[in-house]
Amino acid sequence: MCGIVGYVGNKNAQDFLISGLKRLEYRGYDSAGIVTLDVKGEPTLLRAKGKIANLEEKLAANKRDDTIGIGHTRWATHGEPSEENAHPHRAGEIFLVHNGIIENYKELKEHLTEHDFKSQTDTEVLAALINSFYKDGKYSLINAVVQALKLVKGTYGIAVVSCKKPDEIVVARSGSPLVIGIGHDETMIASDASALLGHTKQAIYLNDGEVALVTSNSVEVKTLNAEPVSAKVEEIETNLAAIQKGGYEHFLLKEIMEQPESLKETLRGRVNLEEGTVRLGGPGIPEAELRQIKHLVIVGCGTAYHAGLLASYYIEQFTPEITVETVIASEYRYRNAYIPENSVALIVSQSGETADTLACLREIKKQGVKTIGIVNAIGSTIAREVDGGTYVHVGPEISVASTKAFTSQVIAMVMFGLTIAQAKGVKPAILKPYVKEIAKLPEAIHDTLENAKGEVEEIAKKYVDYEHAIYLGRDTAYPTAMEGALKLKEISYVDANAYAFGELKHGPLALIDDRFFEIALVPKGELYEKAASNVQEVLARNGHMIVVTNVEQFDLPVERVIRISDEIEHFAPLLMNLISQLFAYYTTVAKGYNVDQPRNLAKSVTVE
Ligand code: AGP
């Protein structure tokens, strides 16, 4: 997703802007730009298509010691990736950077006849609109921004500077995050706190409908209706090491390999092994209310959706008389779905900023349904708008492909389910096995990763030339297969899809030929025999099958068997998913593609 940075203070603005944009690169972008102002307001605007390195080439010949400026990495929505469409956009004496989508930009543009449009972007329309209020001096910069935003429909996170006032930045947000870093005689702006790390730990998280006037030593926040807001300065809850590669070649491998530690953070203080119980502080639902819960709606997109789907299978296993429905946010938000009495909605999102998930949350809240966040990014919009929540605490997830967040989201939702079951008086003999396995998972994850990574790398190289893949699984291995297929497709661009094993004969079996290879997740258990016979269905069509299993002896004539420990029974699919993560990673490395920033994708999809 697009990234915003801004600086006003006593240091070199160009240096901060470039380093800040590099921190936001992981979010995905296709062009970048910065503008700085000297003490007289003389602007230096630099923009480039492609990577920030291209922008740095231009910077080398345009070094300035300016101390105020704004910058942007753009992920194209309106207008192709190009220098003309890159932000900042200029209108008169102002420059603007913008995250989000101005939905009514076409009708606004019709009235802005005095502006000579140079780009195809909705952002330039917003810049021209602000300037239409600013240019004749009737409004100050912040008031011109307010007047313009009152006419805007859509989402925005913006930063604006003016050549007339080279000591102030105006920022505003509605639907796209903005954080203000408080330094000593300097103030920084970013769309993601990671850009502030190493500069300050103090931050103000702007809320929707707020606008702020920022100088090197002041921040004044108000609403669009000019009501002053007493902004809360918060501690940024992460550190520099967490957003660096720590010796790994890619963030993705680092985040796969740190899952033992990240899951431990998710479990910290929440599991009582002696009692065999869990305790979640965040949701804040009284015991009596937990007992009344009859229906769960789990909402997410992509990997978060898969985590919810997998968690729903587990919650049904140990929580009687409740129904669990897992829905894709972008679909559910437009359905006229009835949510019955005694329901709770789990809103799952690593970034806490996904537009469709946020919109779904707001729709569900309109029905008066209690909403619980399963979120990673501290202070994110979803985390702030839910009624209660459980942070998964896996630390910043930088790589576009989500891995450690998935594992912890599943377990966090399972723990929420166990909390309900405990309140409903489900026998400890039913719940304790799950709690014991949860406590053992970090170590089991560590062992699985260490034991499998060399073998998976070797196998990935052997299958690197296939363009089509099928993931297969039954029961809890089916949502896990869906997640495995997503991992492979989103970073290696292999056409990978998942099917429930039982669905093969209803159509997908027709696909099997030498263009495809298959990865089957086959855990021990009452459905093992059925899955084994499904494997034989594929082998009978000369499938090229890899089986991931925790059975001791798997002797069907598949091409490869990747064996994992059988010490974990219920959550074996989470260990199998590690194999899928590693397989996607090594396949992508073998193909030579960009592991952390795959084409066309962004880490946090804050536009619809
Ligand atoms: C997962 O690997 C993808 N990057 C994507 O599907 C992601 O899970 C989805 O966009 C949801 O993001 P969120 O968890 O931040 O809401």
Side-chain angles (χ1 to χ4, degrees):
M1 214 64 288
C2 307
I4 286 178
V5 290
Y7 181 84
V8 53
N10 52 12
K11 299 192 185 74
N12 185 289
Q14 288 180 331
D15 293 347
F16 174 83
L17 297 177
I18 292 292
S19 68
L21 291 180
K22 284 181 173 176
R23 289 274 179 79
L24 303 180
E25 277 195 288
Y26 74 92
R27 301 165 62 92
Y29 70 102
D30 44 48
S31 57
I34 64 171
V35 67
T36 57
L37 305 174
D38 72 9
V39 289
K40 296 196 194 68
E42 182 61 32
T44 302
L45 173 64
L46 303 168
R47 298 182 297 180
K49 183 181 172 186
K51 293 301 179 194
I52 291 171
N54 301 341
L55 184 60
E56 286 184 292
E57 272 178 37
K58 295 194 171 189
L59 180 63
N62 293 281
K63 284 302 282 175
R64 298 284 185 278
D65 55 6
D66 300 350
T67 58
I68 180 170
I70 54 178
H72 188 261
T73 48
R74 178 174 181 254
W75 187 71
T77 53
H78 295 74
E80 51 152 20
S82 68
E83 183 171 336
E84 297 67 42
N85 288 334
H87 306 196
H89 283 289
R90 179 170 195 169
E93 298 298 293
I94 70 158
F95 290 87
L96 165 76
V97 292
H98 162 237
N99 284 354
I101 288 183
I102 308 298
E103 291 173 2
N104 60 334
Y105 80 100
K106 286 200 176 101
E107 60 196 74
L108 291 170
K109 189 170 181 175
E110 285 163 16
H111 303 286
L112 297 163
T113 50
E114 289 178 25
H115 182 76
D116 171 21
F117 283 93
K118 298 193 173 49
S119 80
Q120 309 150 292
T121 66
D122 55 338
T123 302
E124 189 180 0
V125 171
L126 179 55
L129 182 63
I130 295 169
N131 189 48
S132 68
F133 290 104
Y134 182 67
K135 63 184 189 318
D136 53 16
K138 186 179 167 199
Y139 291 99
S140 66
L141 184 60
I142 187 167
N143 289 336
V145 168
V146 167
Q147 293 305 316
L149 293 179
K150 285 182 173 179
L151 302 175
V152 157
K153 291 194 190 81
T155 57
Y156 56 80
I158 62 170
V160 192
V161 292
S162 161
C163 301
K164 290 179 190 166
K165 285 279 283 163
D167 62 355
E168 64 181 36
I169 303 175
V170 171
V171 294
R173 71 154 283 177
S174 178
S176 195
L178 270 185
V179 56
I180 301 168
I182 312 295
H184 183 64
D185 283 339
E186 58 181 8
T187 308
M188 293 139 277
I189 288 143
S191 50
D192 177 316
S194 59
L196 306 178
L197 292 176
H199 299 284
T200 180
K201 294 285 274 182
Q202 305 300 310
I204 292 170
Y205 290 86
L206 220 50
N207 292 307
D208 280 354
E210 292 179 353
V211 59
L213 178 63
V214 172
T215 67
S216 59
N217 50 26
S218 69
V219 178
E220 279 169 57
V221 184
K222 62 181 186 180
T223 67
L224 289 186
N225 302 324
E227 292 134 9
V229 172
S230 57
K232 194 170 77 163
V233 180
E234 303 178 43
E235 181 86 7
I236 297 177
E237 283 213 19
T238 189
N239 56 52
L240 215 42
I243 62 165
Q244 288 166 339
K245 289 180 188 163
Y248 286 95
E249 191 183 350
H250 302 104
F251 280 111
L252 182 57
L253 186 58
K254 172 177 180 257
E255 289 157 9
I256 290 171
M257 299 308 289
E258 66 187 9
Q259 288 180 92
E261 292 70 34
S262 56
L263 182 59
K264 277 182 194 153
E265 288 309 308
T266 308
L267 302 182
R268 191 178 300 282
R270 294 167 165 170
V271 176
N272 182 325
L273 205 45
E274 290 70 48
E275 286 177 14
T277 59
V278 295
R279 191 186 60 74
L280 291 179
I285 301 179
E287 181 118 346
E289 221 178 292
L290 286 170
R291 262 197 296 280
Q292 301 303 318
I293 293 174
K294 287 276 180 289
H295 183 65
L296 287 183
V297 180
I298 305 179
V299 178
C301 299
T303 286
Y305 166 69
H306 295 153
L309 203 51
L310 179 53
S312 70
Y313 280 71
Y314 290 119
I315 295 171
E316 284 171 347
Q317 287 175 6
F318 54 66
T319 310
E321 314 126 29
I322 74 167
T323 52
V324 190
E325 177 189 15
T326 304
V327 296
I328 292 171
S330 58
E331 285 293 306
Y332 195 73
R333 61 179 289 199
Y334 298 110
R335 279 170 46 187
N336 184 28
Y338 170 68
I339 303 179
E341 291 290 307
N342 298 320
S343 290
V344 165
L346 298 187
I347 313 298
V348 192
S349 176
Q350 186 287 128
S351 64
E353 300 298 347
T354 299
D356 284 317
T357 310
L358 177 59
C360 219
L361 162 62
R362 291 171 175 168
E363 286 304 316
I364 289 173
K365 286 183 77 171
K366 283 179 194 161
Q367 291 194 47
V369 175
K370 178 153 282 192
T371 55
I372 300 296
I374 305 291
V375 174
N376 185 39
I378 310 283
S380 56
T381 306
I382 289 173
R384 293 211 301 276
E385 294 199 9
V386 288
D387 298 311
T390 292
Y391 279 124
V392 294
H393 291 305
V394 298
E397 191 176 66
I398 306 295
S399 197
V400 165
S402 183
T403 49
K404 60 180 182 174
F406 173 80
T407 302
S408 287
Q409 284 164 346
V410 173
I411 295 303
M413 285 184 270
V414 167
M415 289 197 287
F416 182 74
L418 288 167
T419 306
I420 296 173
Q422 286 165 187
K424 285 177 178 284
V426 175
K427 289 197 205 69
I430 294 176
L431 304 182
K432 274 189 178 175
Y434 289 92
V435 179
K436 280 174 70 177
E437 279 206 1
I438 287 172
K440 283 165 60 180
L441 259 180
E443 190 182 341
I445 288 171
H446 171 269
D447 296 347
T448 304
L449 289 169
E450 289 306 321
N451 298 338
K453 68 181 191 311
E455 182 183 15
V456 175
E457 181 177 11
E458 175 253 322
I459 293 173
K461 287 175 184 165
K462 285 199 168 38
Y463 287 79
V464 70
D465 295 328
Y466 279 92
E467 289 309 309
H468 304 279
I470 287 178
Y471 276 75
L472 295 158
R474 276 184 179 272
D475 193 62
T476 49
Y478 170 47
T480 312
M482 292 167 79
E483 175 57 12
L486 172 61
K487 234 26 65 194
L488 184 62
K489 77 167 65 120
E490 70 174 323
I491 59 174
S492 76
Y493 317 145
V494 169
D495 169 29
N497 292 293
Y499 302 102
F501 249 142
E503 274 296 283
L504 266 184
K505 59 182 117 15
H506 300 287
L509 203 56
L511 287 173
I512 307 293
D513 62 23
D514 285 339
R515 292 174 303 142
F516 283 78
F517 74 97
E518 299 80 28
I519 293 189
L521 310 182
V522 183
K524 265 181 175 175
E526 60 190 68
L527 296 174
Y528 170 74
E529 291 308 328
K530 288 215 178 297
S533 65
N534 291 136
V535 167
Q536 286 174 309
E537 282 168 20
V538 176
L539 293 177
R541 277 82 184 175
N542 304 317
H544 302 280
M545 185 170 265
I546 301 166
V547 162
V548 183
T549 183
N550 58 353
V551 299
E552 278 307 300
Q553 196 57 36
F554 188 92
D555 44 20
L556 291 175
V558 297
E559 289 185 357
R560 295 300 293 255
V561 177
I562 299 175
R563 202 166 267 98
I564 63 170
S565 153
D566 63 356
E567 61 170 323
I568 297 289
E569 182 195 338
H570 297 292
F571 301 113
L574 284 179
L575 301 183
M576 295 179 169
N577 189 53
L578 303 172
I579 306 299
S580 300
Q581 292 173 348
L582 289 171
F583 186 83
Y585 172 73
Y586 287 119
T587 299
T588 307
V589 169
K591 284 176 176 280
Y593 295 159
N594 186 327
V595 169
D596 288 323
Q597 296 166 30
R599 67 186 181 194
N600 308 340
L601 298 182
K603 181 59 182 173
S604 173
V605 186
T606 55
V607 291
E608 294 165 19

